[in-house]
């Protein structure tokens, strides 16, 4: 293998490694975004339940 072939080989290796790292980073970012979305949905559900509970207390107080 001459020098230019070695350089091309190493450049291809580096490109492949870079693509793999970028792919892994993108996967981690997607996972983090999904986790954040789920956390926000859960928080929203909790707030909704608390508001509904407070509304029920007010309705009960008015109806007495």
């Amino acid at each position: 293998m001459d020098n230019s072939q070695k350089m091309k080989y190493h450049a291809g290796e580096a490109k492949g490694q870079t693509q793999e790292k970028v792919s892994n980073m993108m996967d981690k970012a997607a996972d983090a975004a999904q986790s954040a979305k789920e956390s926000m949905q859960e928080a929203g559900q909790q707030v909704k339940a608390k508001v509904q509970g407070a509304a029920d207390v007010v309705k009960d107080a008015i109806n007495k």
Side-chain angles (χ1 to χ4, degrees):
M1 206 183 259
D2 68 18
N3 238 4
S4 90
Q5 288 174 322
K6 285 180 186 177
M7 288 175 64
K8 286 179 185 177
Y9 174 80
H10 290 298
E13 258 188 339
K15 180 181 178 186
Q17 289 171 354
T18 300
Q19 287 173 332
E20 180 68 21
K21 287 178 184 176
V22 168
S23 177
N24 287 340
M25 287 171 41
M26 295 295 286
D27 288 345
K28 287 179 183 178
D31 290 345
Q34 182 64 31
S35 179
K37 177 183 173 186
E38 290 169 3
S39 293
M40 291 302 292
Q41 287 174 334
E42 185 176 329
Q45 292 288 336
Q46 290 174 356
V47 168
K48 183 179 176 182
K50 288 180 182 179
V51 169
Q52 185 62 49
D56 290 344
V57 168
V58 170
K59 285 180 189 176
D60 289 345
I62 291 172
N63 290 330
K64 286 185 179 181

